[in-house]
Amino acid sequence: MERLPHLTGNLEIMAGRMTATLEWIRSQNVEPAAVAERVVEHEGRLDWRMDDGSTLFAAASPPVFYNGWNIAQEADAKGMTVLLGVNLGYGLNEVLKAAPPAHKVVVIEPNAHLLLACLGQTDYRPFMQAGRLVILPPVENVVYEALRRVDVHFVFGRVVFRGDMPSRQLGPEYDRWGRIVRNMLENFSVEFATLRKRQDTMVGNELANFKRAFADGSLAGLQNAGRGVSSVILGAGPSLEQYAPRLAESPGHAVYATALQTMPALQRFGLKPHFCMAIDYSRGMRKIYNKLDPEFAADVPLIYSTKLDPKVVAQYPGPAIPFWTRGGLGTFALSEREPVFNAGTNVSVTLYRILAWMGVERILLAGMDFAWKGDRSHAGGHHNNIKGKVTLTNADGETLHSTLSYTTALRDLIADVSKNKIPTGCLYGGGAVIEGAQRFDYSAALMQGYLASAPGSIEGFIAALDDAQTPQQTPVFHSRALKWNVTLRQKFKEFEKLAKKPARNARQSFEALNALHAFLRSDPVYLPYLYNEFMDVAGLTLEARPFGPQELSQVRQIVKRVREKLKRMEDDMGFVAAEQRKAPPSRRGMQKRNAA
């Protein structure tokens, strides 16, 4: 009996589609013959013989584990299943059998032997050819990027994680990968939900801030300006009240940074930072000025995300320096002349990332609790107080309250601490445990040098911070709205014809939607502001029914919004005709000129 009848065919179809997976399989030096020997018959079904001689399904037959793996909800029709562990394909086949045509299945199998065994049992070529089945290697960056690319399923469907229970007998890697994948899915769910609801607001704020931002300056010159500097990030958690008085009395020789929202809390203790930061795009940030003393902030530079509400920027009483973040206008259009940061969703995490980019020697965290006891989520003076529905345990085993957004930020910070390898300490006050950061009281932090900097380093950093406030030349982009409007008009006329005979033109309509989706993503300058429009088009490609009058109406509205957005971008960003265009200097060019 042939134990792996479909292996060759499945591997052939993966070539060119899933090259990273094939490379990983080759790197594991797995012999198909050795895999075939492990595939055995047990009680009338195929099973996998483990190292101890027992089989994977010795305790219970496959239906016990997979009978509930059906695609039952309406949201699943456009959703996605992420499956960790495939054994011989029993669970995977159950999902594929029930999945509607637009439902995507993503597989991650940490054991190369089992992956080949699964690929050997079932012909998956039709599913892989149709894009319904994607097999990923257990490589974090590959999994991360692959899940990021299937955002349409997060937005329009339900994403379900399935961990294969029998596979957990094979080793701890299944539990470890389960945690990794669940965390990724949770983060992406928050990110894509935010983009869907708030991208127009965020990029709209960038457009409103665009010309002012270049007049305010640039962070570009601050890269590595923090060499020799010890830095302190001041959060607004309850433990700030424990440490702020001592830090105000004896700040040592360090650069202090905080969030704009934390400034009123710091004033209570007379603890003034060297700069503050704001990234929150919402109008709620305007409330900060109900508590912020203008005199206290007048000489504290505000480093602000260009996605910040323009009224918050305008009202700040001190100097302001902009920075550009991923997902906004800077992502592609300005990447040659400005640093573009992955800011995340929590300002303290953003501060950590930017201080690391500035090249500081060490970072001390104070008031960064991410969780709390009792009903006080923040230190006194902060403008917000929230209720936590997530529970954590602190270093003393006590129960803490938190939220999904704070636990997500905590995971991001822990990952950054691990990745950046910058010595990181935490003035611990009973909050969440930040893995990788040494927990100190004030005296221990002082003894460990977290409040000491190299001679002259802070003065050099402050000088660079002053230089960052030098106005920059505003970039100039050539106008392309006329060309875009002509193309959009032509494409809409095509859809009008196709919608007259929906069933007959189903294939052509699907191709036309994909072409429109590609067109809306084709210009890197327009791309961030058109996120909702190209996502709406992508959502139409998942519809089960043919393209008809209802879909035509949706395309009409999408095209209308695109035209309105193009006009606003060209007005706010100062687009000019091609013959008037004068290219701005790139960041690389400016650095060369400064060096000379």
Side-chain angles (χ1 to χ4, degrees):
M1 177 182 174
E2 172 60 52
R3 294 295 188 189
L4 306 172
H6 298 291
L7 180 60
T8 300
N10 283 328
L11 291 177
E12 286 176 351
I13 204 69
M14 290 170 68
R17 287 180 170 84
M18 305 170 201
T19 53
T21 307
L22 290 178
E23 289 174 4
W24 175 75
I25 290 172
R26 283 193 289 269
S27 73
Q28 302 302 299
N29 298 318
V30 180
E31 291 293 335
V35 174
E37 289 179 1
R38 294 288 191 108
V39 180
V40 298
E41 284 195 32
H42 178 74
E43 296 184 357
R45 63 177 179 272
L46 291 179
D47 208 334
W48 178 260
R49 179 168 51 79
M50 297 187 290
D51 291 342
D52 63 3
S54 62
T55 60
L56 205 58
F57 294 99
S61 62
V64 172
F65 299 101
Y66 309 118
N67 273 348
W69 284 23
N70 56 346
I71 310 296
Q73 296 189 21
E74 184 179 345
D76 291 329
K78 301 177 184 179
M80 178 172 68
T81 296
V82 179
L83 179 56
L84 175 64
V86 291
N87 57 74
L88 298 180
Y90 288 114
L92 173 59
N93 293 352
E94 191 71 25
V95 172
L96 289 173
K97 182 172 63 177
H103 189 93
K104 188 178 288 290
V105 180
V106 176
V107 164
I108 304 160
E109 174 51 70
N111 187 310
H113 289 79
L114 263 179
L115 179 57
L116 290 191
C118 175
L119 293 173
Q121 304 310 311
T122 304
D123 183 4
Y124 294 116
R125 290 177 298 177
F127 298 99
M128 289 190 278
Q129 283 176 319
R132 296 175 59 190
L133 173 61
V134 177
I135 300 171
L136 301 176
V139 180
E140 281 196 47
N141 64 313
V142 175
V143 174
Y144 181 89
E145 291 302 327
L147 292 176
R148 176 177 286 279
R149 288 194 296 269
V150 292
D151 51 358
V152 65
H153 296 283
F154 284 88
V155 171
F156 293 102
R158 186 175 72 118
V159 177
V160 178
F161 174 79
R162 302 281 193 190
D164 187 64
M165 182 69 70
S167 295
R168 296 174 68 183
Q169 301 174 74
L170 299 171
E173 64 270 24
Y174 289 90
D175 284 338
R176 185 178 72 85
W177 268 100
R179 290 191 295 272
I180 291 171
V181 175
R182 275 192 293 266
N183 287 344
M184 284 185 186
L185 295 176
E186 191 174 281
N187 288 357
F188 281 133
S189 293
V190 173
E191 178 181 341
F192 293 138
T194 301
L195 281 174
R196 183 64 171 166
K197 295 177 182 177
R198 306 300 183 191
Q199 182 73 350
D200 284 355
T201 300
M202 291 189 288
V203 182
N205 287 348
E206 285 195 301
L207 289 170
N209 289 323
F210 191 80
K211 292 177 182 176
R212 169 179 175 148
F214 289 97
D216 281 344
S218 168
L219 277 191
L222 280 164
Q223 186 170 13
N224 296 321
R227 288 175 178 166
V229 171
S230 288
S231 58
V232 181
I233 300 176
L234 299 165
S239 70
L240 178 67
E241 298 190 6
Q242 178 181 344
Y243 290 105
R246 190 70 185 274
L247 291 170
E249 180 185 349
S250 303
H253 199 56
V255 165
Y256 284 72
T258 193
L260 174 59
Q261 301 96 304
T262 309
M263 290 280 283
L266 296 181
Q267 186 177 7
R268 294 173 55 228
F269 303 102
L271 181 56
K272 182 174 287 194
H274 291 86
F275 67 88
C276 64
M277 179 175 286
I279 67 168
D280 188 340
Y281 56 86
S282 70
R283 290 187 175 187
M285 283 290 286
R286 298 176 188 179
K287 296 178 183 177
I288 188 67
Y289 294 114
N290 296 335
K291 292 190 175 183
L292 182 65
D293 181 352
E295 291 186 12
F296 181 71
D299 59 349
V300 178
L302 168 67
I303 297 179
Y304 69 93
S305 164
T306 50
K307 294 174 183 172
L308 193 66
D309 184 317
K311 290 190 176 181
V312 176
V313 180
Q315 196 173 342
Y316 188 71
I321 308 166
F323 69 98
W324 303 86
T325 58
R326 206 168 69 181
L329 296 173
T331 306
F332 303 107
L334 302 174
S335 58
E336 282 297 305
R337 57 173 288 164
E338 291 288 333
V340 179
F341 297 94
N342 176 11
T345 58
N346 181 279
V347 65
S348 293
V349 175
T350 312
L351 279 166
Y352 189 93
R353 291 174 178 175
I354 288 185
L355 284 169
W357 173 82
M358 290 174 173
V360 299
E361 293 298 318
R362 59 191 66 83
I363 299 175
L364 182 64
L365 312 175
M368 288 179 62
D369 298 326
F370 296 103
W372 54 92
K373 293 179 285 187
D375 57 1
R376 285 192 60 198
S377 62
H378 291 82
H382 191 271
H383 75 289
N384 201 7
N385 196 61
I386 56 180
K387 293 183 178 180
K389 296 182 179 180
V390 178
T391 58
L392 299 175
T393 303
N394 68 9
D396 299 318
E398 298 173 306
T399 299
L400 304 177
H401 306 290
S402 188
T403 66
L404 177 59
S405 61
Y406 280 130
T407 55
T408 300
L410 175 62
R411 282 200 303 268
D412 288 345
L413 179 61
I414 290 170
D416 286 339
V417 170
S418 174
K419 179 179 67 176
N420 285 302
K421 308 299 183 186
I422 297 172
T424 301
C426 174
L427 291 177
Y428 189 68
V433 175
I434 303 171
E435 296 172 19
Q438 289 184 279
R439 295 191 293 277
F440 298 125
D441 59 18
Y442 176 86
S443 298
L446 194 65
M447 292 293 292
Q448 292 293 324
Y450 276 88
L451 297 176
S453 299
S457 61
I458 291 184
E459 292 76 10
F461 179 84
I462 292 173
L465 197 61
D466 290 339
D467 289 344
Q469 298 165 40
T470 304
Q472 305 293 301
Q473 179 183 352
T474 304
V476 180
F477 302 97
H478 70 276
S479 176
R480 56 269 242 180
L482 180 61
K483 181 179 178 181
W484 264 63
N485 282 326
V486 170
T487 302
L488 288 170
R489 186 161 52 248
Q490 291 171 343
K491 288 185 177 296
F492 185 70
K493 286 182 178 180
E494 181 184 2
F495 282 115
E496 285 182 313
K497 293 177 182 178
L498 294 171
K500 291 177 181 177
K501 297 181 179 180
R504 181 177 177 181
N505 296 329
R507 182 179 61 81
Q508 295 96 315
S509 297
F510 180 77
E511 292 172 354
L513 286 169
N514 281 325
L516 177 59
H517 181 259
F519 175 70
L520 295 182
R521 293 177 59 94
S522 64
D523 192 311
V525 179
Y526 289 153
L527 182 64
Y529 202 28
L530 299 183
Y531 176 83
N532 277 316
E533 285 64 41
F534 68 69
M535 284 301 294
D536 284 340
V537 174
L540 288 172
T541 67
L542 301 178
E543 291 290 350
R545 63 177 179 271
F547 187 94
Q550 183 177 338
E551 289 71 31
L552 179 65
S553 177
Q554 292 181 58
V555 170
R556 179 183 289 109
Q557 293 301 315
I558 291 169
V559 169
K560 180 183 177 183
R561 296 201 310 269
V562 170
R563 287 174 173 158
E564 291 170 350
K565 287 186 171 184
L566 297 187
K567 184 178 186 308
R568 181 182 175 187
M569 290 191 75
E570 301 225 341
D571 289 345
D572 288 358
M573 295 174 69
F575 280 54
V576 298
E579 60 270 16
Q580 297 176 279
R581 188 182 182 206
K582 206 170 188 179
S586 68
R587 179 156 51 104
R588 196 174 293 112
M590 288 192 291
Q591 289 172 341
K592 287 181 179 178
R593 194 161 63 245
N594 291 339

